Amino acid sequence: MEPTRSRVPFVRRLAVPGGRDGRLMLVIAVIDKIGTGLWTGAATLYFLYVAHLSVAQIGLLMGLSGILGIAGPPLAGRLADRFPVTRILLGAQLARGAALLALLTTDDYALLVLFSALGALPDRASSVLTKLFAARVAGPQRIRYQAIQRTAANIGWAVGAAGAAAALTVGTTASYQALLLANVASYVVIGALTLRCAEPPAPSRVVAGQPSPTGTPRIPSGPSGAPAKAATPWRDRRYLAFTVSEIWLFLDDSVLQVGFPLWIVHATDAPVGLAPLVLVLNSVLVIALQVPLSRFGETREAARRLLVPIGAALLTGGVALAASAGGGPWFATGAVVLAAVAFTLAEILHSIASWELSIALAPGEAQGAYLGVHGLAQSAQRSLGPVVVGIAVGVGPLAWPVLGASLVAACLVQHRLVRPTAAAEPRVVAPAR
């Protein structure tokens, strides 16, 4: 029996969970991120040089878009509990493309804000729908699938960003428009590929008016035979508290994207060129470590245990950033690199723990609604994070260890929140057969 047991894990490590549809969704993720990478790197410059907006106008446009985008995850999650997730995802992809294409039709500021906001809604919704599809198609191997998908997405993003950098050397109106159209084309392609994906089996989905085998409308009922009320995350205090704690733990994204460049330039003697290299290091580490480390979070209890090293990594990163303000260029560079590695490790481990816990804590019959609410955490962080990080940069070195300690506190709070309780057994969310 030993030889067999040793061979099976190796074979599974080589295979992508979810079969044909799982592999196809990986291709979709790569193409999606290539297109997004092409456009994101040029979006601000497009509004500045092609639409002729001021910096203040661009900031307001992006802020308003982000506010509307927050509604995307819960709306998508609720719909996915009642209708096929692949069809909702297709609609979101086409809506993203249409809203982006509409930007080419006008220079009017009000319309640019409207189209950007309308694009942000399905954009945020797509992330939840993709996560839900992965959870259903991969079943018990969802953590490994998520790790592979995240690695593939990072590769796609890097390819797209490199393409944008090359195109932006031209710097003409036509080059900006070409990058926008390339992203629109990517939405059309992934929409066509999504049509080829079979609908994954859901733990439970009740479609309004869906007939039962006898031909009568199916109405969910409770143990007494009375109609049962669908579970809702808005009344689940533990899940809501878990989601709130997630907002703070997702701050690593803003620290890496916003905090490091500002801190390197304004507070350290490290070379300015280190700022983009930090993002390159982040991508390389995610690509190299995401899949191997995913095996440490394949169950609810394992994911809960990851919160301890996550907190330790975040505190280490905060202390290293504070230390980088002292010493010469070499010392500052070393401290910044150590901080980047620590925050990236925390990001990788948190993505694993967050993925598993958000699903494990959700009842099967309302999985989409719960994941939609959890998606609010990342959306809220995108608005809150840059503000918090900006304040930390302004306060100075002491702010980073304090921020790290607050993130450790969030990990400890979450560690307590997600512990199994005697009143309820852990929920097992596996695809229905």
Side-chain angles (χ1 to χ4, degrees), residues 369-430:
Y370 272 68
L371 292 184
V373 167
H374 181 262
L376 288 172
Q378 216 159 8
S379 295
Q381 188 280 142
R382 290 179 182 178
S383 299
L384 175 67
V387 177
V388 173
V389 169
I391 292 173
V393 172
V395 169
L398 182 61
W400 295 114
V402 172
L403 180 61
S406 72
L407 291 166
V408 171
C411 287
L412 295 176
V413 168
Q414 194 173 109
H415 190 272
R416 181 174 178 81
L417 279 173
V418 302
R419 73 190 189 283
T421 60
E425 297 179 357
R427 294 178 175 122
V428 178
V429 184

Side-chain angles (χ1 to χ4, degrees), residues 60-141:
L60 180 60
L61 178 148
M62 292 184 172
L64 293 175
S65 299
I67 291 173
L68 182 59
I70 291 175
L75 177 61
R78 177 63 67 180
L79 290 173
D81 282 333
R82 300 183 63 83
F83 304 103
V85 67
T86 51
R87 296 302 174 259
I88 303 171
L89 180 58
L90 172 62
Q93 291 162 344
L94 295 180
R96 291 163 74 190
L100 189 60
L101 187 62
L103 294 178
L104 289 177
T105 66
T106 183
D107 289 335
D108 182 78
Y109 183 65
L111 288 177
L112 289 173
V113 171
L114 174 63
F115 295 148
S116 297
L118 291 177
L121 187 69
D123 181 69
R124 302 286 176 85
S126 294
S127 63
V128 170
L129 295 169
T130 302
K131 178 179 179 180
L132 188 58
F133 179 93
R136 291 175 177 177
V137 79
Q141 291 185 281

Side-chain angles (χ1 to χ4, degrees), residues 150 154 248-264 274-286 290 313-314 317-318 321 335-351 381 385-386 388-390 392-393 400 403 407:
R150 193 163 187 264
N154 269 271
W248 204 245
L249 291 180
F250 276 122
L251 277 177
D252 59 75
D253 181 65
S254 289
V255 172
L256 286 162
Q257 299 284 339
V258 180
F260 271 83
L262 291 177
W263 186 251
I264 289 169
L274 184 61
L277 293 180
V278 164
L279 298 181
V280 173
L281 176 62
N282 172 261
S283 295
V284 169
L285 289 176
V286 170
Q290 189 72 61
L314 291 168
L321 270 184
V336 167
V337 170
L338 174 60
V341 172
F343 274 106
T344 299
L345 182 60
E347 175 195 352
I348 293 170
L349 295 179
H350 178 240
S351 71
Q381 188 280 142
V388 173
V389 169
V393 172
W400 295 114
L403 180 61
L407 291 166

